[in-house]
Each structure stands twice: as structure tokens, then as C-alpha cells.
Amino acid sequence: MLKTLAAAAALFVSAGTAEAQSWIPETRPGGKLLLTGGVSTIEGSGGGGLATWATTTGYGNRDGIGANVHATWVDLPDYEFRTWGAAIGLWDRVELSVARQEFDTGGTGALLGLGAGFTFGQDVYGLKVRLTGDAVYDQDTWLPQIAVGVQHKVADQGAVIGLIGGQDDEGTELYVAATKLFLAESLLVSGTVRWTDANQTGLLGFGGDAEPEATAQFEGSIGYLLSPNLVIGAEYRTKPDNLSFAGEDDWMDVYAAWAINKHISVTAAWVDLGSIATFEDQRGLYVSLQAGF
């Protein structure tokens, strides 16, 4: 009996391993697997909605190029956030991205003394470089894919940023990201450390009267693959708290991303952005559409 159980267990493990490996082609003529490059973050880089991953955007393999465009909308009780942009992945090694963010205060702008419909905006320029590892193809090791990146952000409401205590309307952030996909468990795990002094990702400037220096912040993602083209999960992103006039909370979300095919994907999420510019409980719907190759 013990021999029979041992043989059955070995067969089960072998079958599970074979199933996981069957997701990975022996060569890469068609590029990456669905969703393994991530979707577009609110800052334009490849990753989740709120957190950057170590993977490069698009479906290009190590001998090719991938690219995408995206548009994202977040509906909050007192504000509306919009972002759109484009990114390109080169040889599964380098990622270049650009994004435009707009934070519309709507009717809340009048209550803040800014005027109804006042909009904060910024442009984000990103560079990411994979250093080592492969989140998908290195299934025989626990080591993750690791990348480093830089994002330069330019906000466009410098006068207001100065009035609320911001030190600058332009800033540069550095980050290190590690991402691993465990195919046998259908599980993706990613973590990023970002050095930043951005207020509300930079929309309210950089540095502040309460804390002028950059600090290390964490971005974490976890995802479960229900199928090769559908993943559900959650994200958490810590934030600096630099401005004395208004506290800044950490962000979190629960999301689902669906790859219709290798050219179009849709992401929907419930987001909790906490307090923004003295208005509490900013929770709402996040929707993002991405198209590319």
C-alpha cells in the first residue's frame, strides 16, 4: 500500500510539473505568455495598476520588440483621475514609457478654493532595465526577475504646488523591482522599492514642508491566474507624507485583468486611495484598456 501511495504521489507531482511546463513553449517564436508582461500602471510602466513590476512591457521576446498604448480612468467620490500613454519593450531587456496624468477636482475644486474643474496634471517619462532572471522561463529556480528603473515627472501647476507647501514641481524617482511567476501554483508575486518624494505620485509636487527628502516606499502585487488569459489579485502601495496641510494615505486595490488576446486587455479594480487633499475615503472604480503587441 505504501509503495502504491508513493507511486501515486510521484505521478501526481510529475503531472503537475508537466502541466506547468506545458504553459512554456520550448522556444519563443510567439513572444511572451499572455499577461506576463503585465498591464500599464498609472505611470505608464509595465506592471499592475498601482505597482510597477520587473517585467518589460509588450509581447516581444529577447530578439524582438513589443509595445502598447493605454488609457485609464478612476472615478472617486470627490475627484476623477485619468491617465494615458505608451510604452515600448526592447529585446525583453529595456522598457521606455511615457504617460500623461490628469487629476480633475471637479466640483471639489471650488471647495478647495481652486475653482470648479481645476485639474492637476503631470507628464511621466520612464526607463526600466532588466538586470537578471526571467519571471516566467526560470521555473527551475526560486530567483525572481530583477529590474531597475527611473521615472522623471514634470507637474504643471507649480504655483499651486508652492502654495500648499510642495518644494518642487519636478522630480525623479528610482526603483528596484523583483517579480516571479510560479506557474505550477498559478501565482504571481512582485515587490518594488521606490525612492521618492512625490506627493500623490507627483501631481501635488515633490517634497514638502513636513518632509523635504526622498524616502523608500514599497509597492507589492499578488495575482492568481484563473486561466492563461485571466488573473485576479491585489496590490498595496505605501506613500510618503510630505505636506502638513493634508495627510497622504497608502493605496490599495483588488483587481481583475483579462487578456482578450495578445493585442487587447482590460483591467478593472476597486481602489482605495484614502485621503486626498483633506477629503477622506477616496474609494472607487478603476478601469484600464490596453492595446499593443
Side-chain angles (χ1 to χ4, degrees), residues 2-16:
L2 290 176
K3 290 183 178 180
T4 302
L5 290 175
L11 181 60
F12 178 79
V13 172
S14 176

Side-chain angles (χ1 to χ4, degrees), residues 124-261:
V124 183
Y125 307 94
L127 167 67
K128 183 195 299 180
V129 179
R130 177 170 63 88
L131 296 182
T132 186
D134 191 304
V136 179
Y137 287 84
D138 288 346
Q139 289 297 302
D140 57 347
T141 176
W142 59 269
L143 291 173
Q145 180 167 325
I146 299 174
V148 296
V150 58
Q151 289 180 340
H152 184 69
K153 301 178 175 181
V154 182
D156 61 8
Q157 295 291 353
V160 176
I161 287 170
L163 288 175
I164 63 176
Q167 300 296 301
D168 206 338
D169 59 2
E170 191 169 337
T172 302
E173 302 173 330
L174 303 175
Y175 64 84
V176 178
T179 303
K180 181 66 176 177
L181 176 61
F182 300 94
L183 280 176
E185 292 78 21
S186 301
L187 185 68
L188 180 139
V189 180
S190 185
T192 298
V193 176
R194 180 186 296 262
W195 284 267
T196 177
D197 60 351
N199 308 317
Q200 300 296 352
T201 75
L203 288 160
L204 300 186
F206 302 84
D209 52 344
E211 174 56 67
E213 302 298 329
T215 56
Q217 303 295 327
F218 176 74
E219 302 168 20
S221 294
I222 187 168
Y224 182 76
L225 284 80
L226 294 175
S227 71
N229 66 336
L230 178 62
V231 59
I232 60 173
E235 298 178 293
Y236 192 91
R237 178 169 176 167
T238 68
K239 309 287 292 306
D241 194 10
N242 302 326
L243 302 174
S244 59
F245 98 98
E248 183 167 348
D249 293 331
D250 296 344
W251 287 0
M252 65 190 74
D253 71 25
V254 178
Y255 70 88
W258 175 41
I260 300 172
N261 51 46

